[in-house]
């Protein structure tokens, strides 16, 4: 029998024990998710995973396979989403590949982190995460008439300068719209996370890439604000994309932390 580890998907806070649907599946090749009690109203959602597939060496060998990583991430997310949809449940999602050598080690570690988990639950209770990304739309290609260049070298240089200035102003308008979007949505949200790091080699980095923690009672207000912001972005030559709602992956760390 292959050696196994205890994989953790999330921690669930709920007045009554959550149910686990028989159809719920975990990571590829793992045992079906189950519950480990952490307290009277708190459970860890776990599953046994084979180490020949999810041990350190196996993960290291497969981590550059984007299809494999994607399949694992989607399976992890499906389990977390299942419990996040539960009535009156607050779910603290765990990072991908959070594993322990045994259920006993898991319980001991999560008990040692109890204060942090309790703080995270208090922060995200009754709220969901939404993602907003604003990208600059591809500007129209502008050309300078050859006849103008023939007529006057000075006119040609002036036209080139004007094209550059117009492009700069378009970028500024789009950037200002992205900043207005963030400010508008932040005022409705409990917390925000704005990611300003640009991946190496990014040809067109986003003008805004942010996560918003929004109370369920403000969902309608938030979505209406997104529609207004989207129209503002379009007028400024940018495009807004909204995703969610998600479990609060970006908000389970300390308040104000960037993840």
């Amino acid at each position: 029998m292959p050696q196994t580890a205890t994989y953790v998907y999330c921690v669930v806070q709920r007045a009554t024990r959550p149910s686990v649907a028989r159809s719920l599946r975990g990571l590829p090749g793992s045992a079906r998710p189950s519950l480990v009690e952490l307290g009277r109203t708190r459970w860890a959602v776990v599953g046994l995973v084979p180490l020949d597939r999810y041990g350190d060496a196996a993960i290291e060998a497969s981590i550059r396979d984007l299809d494999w990583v994607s399949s694992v991430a989607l399976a992890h997310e499906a389990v977390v989403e299942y419990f996040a949809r539960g009535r009156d449940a607050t779910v603290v999602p765990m990072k991908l590949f959070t594993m322990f050598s045994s259920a006993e080690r898991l319980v001991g570690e999560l008990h040692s982190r109890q204060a942090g988990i309790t703080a995270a639950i208090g922060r995200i209770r009754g709220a969901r995460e939404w993602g907003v990304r604003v990208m600059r739309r591809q500007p129209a290609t502008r050309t300078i008439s050859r006849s103008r260049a023939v007529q006057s070298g000075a006119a040609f240089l002036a036209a080139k300068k004007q094209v550059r200035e117009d492009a700069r102003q378009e970028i500024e308008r789009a950037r200002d719209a992205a900043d207005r979007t963030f400010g508008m949505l932040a005022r409705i949200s409990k917390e925000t996370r704005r990611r300003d790091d640009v991946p190496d080699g990014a040809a067109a980095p986003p003008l805004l890439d942010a996560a918003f923690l929004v109370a369920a009672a403000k969902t309608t207000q938030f979505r209406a604000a997104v529609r207004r912001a989207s129209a503002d972005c379009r007028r400024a030559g940018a495009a807004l994309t909204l995703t969610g709602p998600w479990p609060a992956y970006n908000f389970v760390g300390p308040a104000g932390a960037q993840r």
Side-chain angles (χ1 to χ4, degrees):
M1 182 176 180
Q3 289 185 312
T4 60
T6 300
Y7 185 94
V8 191
Y9 296 94
C10 58
V11 172
V12 182
Q13 180 87 12
R14 195 168 183 264
T16 58
R17 183 183 179 91
S19 62
V20 183
R22 294 185 64 84
S23 59
L24 185 64
R25 296 289 179 264
L27 268 56
S30 71
R32 199 167 68 88
S34 60
L35 302 176
V36 172
E37 187 171 338
L38 301 176
R40 190 169 58 85
T41 59
R42 191 173 295 177
W43 293 265
V45 180
V46 306
L48 290 178
V49 295
L51 290 178
D52 61 0
R53 193 164 183 171
Y54 295 103
D56 290 343
I59 292 174
E60 181 66 25
S62 303
I63 199 68
R64 292 180 179 82
D65 183 343
L66 295 182
D67 289 337
W68 181 81
V69 174
S70 177
S71 68
V72 174
L74 288 172
H76 177 104
E77 173 67 17
V79 174
V80 177
E81 279 282 348
Y82 170 83
F83 288 95
R85 288 193 298 268
R87 185 175 180 181
D88 299 325
T90 301
V91 172
V92 178
M94 293 292 161
K95 291 181 180 179
L96 200 64
F97 303 126
T98 299
M99 290 177 285
F100 297 88
S101 58
S102 67
E104 292 74 22
R105 290 288 296 274
L106 173 150
V107 171
E109 173 65 18
L110 294 187
H111 273 305
S112 72
R113 295 167 53 187
Q114 184 172 350
I117 293 173
T118 298
I121 288 171
R123 190 159 58 250
I124 68 176
R125 181 181 287 116
R128 298 296 296 275
E129 177 178 322
W130 296 82
V132 171
R133 176 171 285 197
V134 176
M135 301 288 294
R136 186 183 172 215
R137 290 206 303 265
Q138 188 67 29
T141 303
R142 294 175 179 170
T143 58
I144 301 173
S145 170
R146 183 177 296 274
S147 63
R148 289 185 65 183
V150 172
Q151 291 170 9
S152 167
F156 175 71
L157 293 176
K160 285 187 67 176
K161 182 179 179 181
Q162 186 61 51
V163 168
R164 289 195 299 268
E165 178 62 18
D166 290 346
R168 185 191 66 79
Q169 291 182 2
E170 286 178 358
I171 293 172
E172 287 300 316
R173 284 195 293 270
R175 187 175 291 120
D176 288 345
D179 289 340
R180 288 193 297 271
T181 293
F182 182 78
M184 181 191 307
L185 301 182
R187 287 191 290 273
I188 302 170
S189 306
K190 295 179 67 175
E191 284 189 39
T192 65
R193 298 287 189 272
R194 184 167 185 168
R195 296 178 284 272
D196 294 319
D197 54 314
V198 178
D200 293 339
L207 301 169
L208 174 65
D209 185 10
F212 299 86
L213 184 65
V214 181
K218 292 191 174 183
T219 298
T220 300
Q221 181 184 355
F222 181 81
R223 293 184 69 103
V226 167
R227 288 193 292 272
R228 293 195 297 273
S230 182
D232 183 30
C233 287
R234 283 197 300 274
R235 289 191 293 269
L240 183 154
T241 302
L242 173 69
T243 60
W246 309 107
Y249 281 98
N250 284 288
F251 298 93
V252 295
Q258 297 292 326
R259 297 188 52 178

